[in-house]
Amino acid sequence: MLASRARGKVRANPQEPGRPRAAGREQREVVQAFLAAAHGGDFEGLLRVLDPEVKLTVDTSDGVVVVLGATKVAAGATARVAAGAAARGRAVLVNGLPGFVSWREDGTPLSVMAFTVVDGRIVAISTVIDPARLASADLPDPA
């Protein structure tokens, strides 16, 4: 569902002149803190940015998987990021939300993530890893 809505709505997060809105900047900083903690295997760092009731929704080729709670999401995040360690990615906007798109080394899309941040904590993460949906999404080119 995220990928179909993302068609034409996933775009690189531009560095526009002028000051970004404070809420947008704060949301991006929270997402960057999450990604840095996940890449570094920093479980405590993940817990600091995740709401205790966070909901992770992952759209796979086998269906949708939902994970509830900061501890479970944090435990899975470090494993998923480690598995995709060779991937490259960049910040994007997904339907107006801060997000991240990653590609395999050969340039094929690996995942699209969108984060909902409220009061400085991530309350929801929507992820698409279904190759068919990623192939049909209008994603930016890997840089």
Side-chain angles (χ1 to χ4, degrees), residues 85-123:
R88 51 194 171 150
R90 67 175 164 166
V92 294
L93 291 176
V94 180
N95 297 328
L97 296 173
F100 192 79
V101 63
S102 61
W103 298 269
R104 290 183 173 83
E105 289 299 322
D106 67 3
T108 58
L110 180 63
S111 67
V112 174
M113 302 174 74
F115 298 83
T116 303
V117 179
V118 176
D119 295 331
R121 294 189 119 179
I122 297 169
V123 298

Side-chain angles (χ1 to χ4, degrees), residues 10-134:
V10 176
R11 60 185 174 90
N13 196 359
Q15 297 297 323
E16 298 173 334
R19 285 181 55 169
R21 294 178 332 158
R25 181 176 53 242
E26 177 189 5
Q27 290 174 352
R28 288 189 304 274
E29 288 172 357
V30 170
V31 170
Q32 289 303 317
F34 171 86
L35 294 169
H39 282 279
D42 181 2
F43 188 78
E44 294 299 320
L46 288 168
L47 292 178
R48 280 192 294 277
V49 296
L50 292 171
D51 184 85
E53 305 296 319
V54 65
K55 178 180 179 181
L56 168 65
T57 306
V58 183
D59 188 351
T60 75
S61 55
D62 294 326
V64 176
V65 176
V66 176
V67 179
L68 300 173
T71 303
K72 289 182 181 179
V73 171
T78 54
R80 280 186 300 279
V81 170
R88 51 194 171 150
R90 67 175 164 166
V92 294
L93 291 176
V94 180
N95 297 328
L97 296 173
F100 192 79
V101 63
S102 61
W103 298 269
R104 290 183 173 83
E105 289 299 322
D106 67 3
T108 58
L110 180 63
S111 67
V112 174
M113 302 174 74
F115 298 83
T116 303
V117 179
V118 176
D119 295 331
R121 294 189 119 179
I122 297 169
V123 298
I125 305 170
S126 296
T127 304
V128 176
I129 61 172
D130 177 6
R133 292 194 178 186
L134 290 170

